[in-house]
Amino acid sequence: MNVYFTFFLYCRYDIKVECGMPINRHKSNAPDACFFFADNVVAIDHQLDDVYVLSLYEEGTTETSFLNDTEEKLISLMGSSTRKFMDQTLPVIDSSQSKASFVPDKSREQYINDVQSCMKYIKDGESYELCLTTQNRRKIGNADPLGLYLHLRERNPAPYAAFLNFSNANLSLCSSSPERFLKLDRNGMLEAKPIKGTIARGSTPEEDEFLKLQLKLRYTKHVVLESSNVS
C-alpha cells in the first residue's frame, strides 16, 4: 500500500469567477475554497486490515508526539465500535430541532415551471439531457459535526465519503456520494467516475452489449443535435 502526504481541497462552484465568469448568481457565507496539507496521517488498508500512522517533519526539528499518541489511542480503541464512539459524542442533532423538516429553496410551483422549461429545451433540440437540481435546507442547531457524519455514513454508506473540518473557517463538511467527480494521481492521470450518462451493468455479456449500444445511440443523438445546430 502506497501512502502519500497530500493537500485536501474543498471548492464551491462559486469559484468559477476565478476562471473567467463575470459574476456569481448565487451567494453563500461559506468560503469559495479551503485547503490544508495533511502532515499527520492515519491510513487504513481495508483489504489487509493494516493501519499506518505517518508524520512529516523537517530534518533537524523535534519530532512531534503524534506518532506515539496516535498509536496509544488506536490500541485503546481496539475492540470498540463506531456505535460506542457515537454514544460518547454529543447528540447528533439538538433535540429542539429534531422535528424540524427540510425547506426547499424553490416552491413546488417554481420547480414544476423549471421542469417544463427543461422539457421545452429538450424538445427544441437545445439538449438531449438536462440535470435539474435544487437545494433543501434544515437548521440543526447545536450539532456535533463528526457525530453527524458518522450517523450519515451509517445510514447512507457510500464509496466516496469524507468528513473535513476547516476550523479556521468555522466550516465542517459531511459528504457521502456514490460517484467521484475527479481524481488526479501522481502520474498526472485524471479520472472521473460519474453516474449521469451511465447505465447499470447487465446480468450477461449479451445484455451488457445491448445496454452499451443504447448508450452509444443516446450519445449519437446528442452529437447530431449539436452538429446540426437545431433551432
Side-chain angles (χ1 to χ4, degrees):
M1 178 179 178
N2 295 323
V3 182
Y4 304 102
F5 297 96
T6 185
F7 282 98
F8 285 85
L9 169 68
Y10 144 82
C11 60
R12 295 167 44 84
Y13 285 116
D14 294 345
I15 205 172
K16 62 182 180 287
V17 295
E18 304 293 337
C19 304
M21 289 293 291
I23 59 173
N24 271 327
R25 185 176 179 182
H26 304 283
K27 300 293 183 180
S28 172
N29 294 327
D32 292 343
C34 289
F35 70 94
F36 64 86
F37 181 74
D39 52 0
N40 293 321
V41 175
V42 177
I44 302 174
D45 187 334
H46 293 281
Q47 292 183 335
L48 299 178
D49 287 333
D50 290 332
V51 178
Y52 300 85
V53 182
L54 303 95
S55 182
L56 182 66
Y57 58 94
E58 295 183 6
E59 186 176 359
T61 60
T62 304
E63 180 180 346
T64 66
S65 61
F66 174 78
L67 294 176
N68 292 331
D69 292 346
T70 303
E71 181 182 10
E72 292 178 3
K73 289 180 181 179
L74 291 174
I75 293 175
S76 67
L77 288 174
M78 291 180 62
S80 65
S81 64
T82 301
R83 168 59 61 186
K84 291 180 181 178
F85 175 78
M86 291 177 64
D87 290 342
Q88 295 174 359
T89 62
L90 295 174
V92 174
I93 297 177
D94 191 344
S95 60
S96 63
Q97 300 288 339
S98 60
K99 295 183 179 180
S101 59
F102 285 94
V103 179
D105 281 2
K106 295 183 178 181
S107 66
R108 175 181 174 84
E109 182 180 1
Q110 287 176 311
Y111 192 78
I112 291 177
N113 288 338
D114 288 345
V115 172
Q116 292 174 344
S117 296
C118 290
M119 294 174 66
K120 185 177 185 304
Y121 284 132
I122 294 175
K123 183 178 179 180
D124 292 344
E126 297 293 335
S127 177
Y128 82 105
E129 183 179 74
L130 292 172
C131 179
L132 177 63
T133 63
T134 187
Q135 293 188 94
N136 292 278
R137 305 174 187 271
R138 175 182 174 181
K139 292 184 178 181
I140 57 176
N142 183 27
D144 170 36
L146 180 57
L148 180 64
Y149 167 70
L150 293 175
H151 181 75
L152 174 65
R153 191 175 68 176
E154 182 182 24
R155 293 295 185 93
N156 184 48
Y160 305 107
F163 172 74
L164 299 177
N165 180 26
F166 299 97
S167 55
N168 291 338
N170 192 27
L171 175 69
S172 295
L173 300 178
C174 304
S175 171
S176 179
S177 174
E179 62 181 349
R180 180 169 61 202
F181 183 48
L182 292 174
K183 175 188 176 182
L184 180 63
D185 66 18
R186 294 172 62 88
N187 299 317
M189 180 65 69
L190 193 64
E191 179 188 51
K193 286 189 175 181
I195 289 181
K196 293 188 290 291
T198 64
I199 196 169
R201 293 290 301 270
S203 57
T204 64
E206 292 77 16
E207 189 177 356
D208 270 347
E209 288 300 317
F210 175 74
L211 295 173
K212 187 188 298 183
L213 288 174
Q214 282 189 323
L215 280 178
K216 288 183 177 179
L217 179 61
R218 291 174 61 188
Y219 176 73
T220 302
K221 288 181 178 179
H222 175 50
V223 172
V224 168
L225 288 175
E226 282 192 336
S227 61
S228 61
N229 192 21
V230 178
S231 60

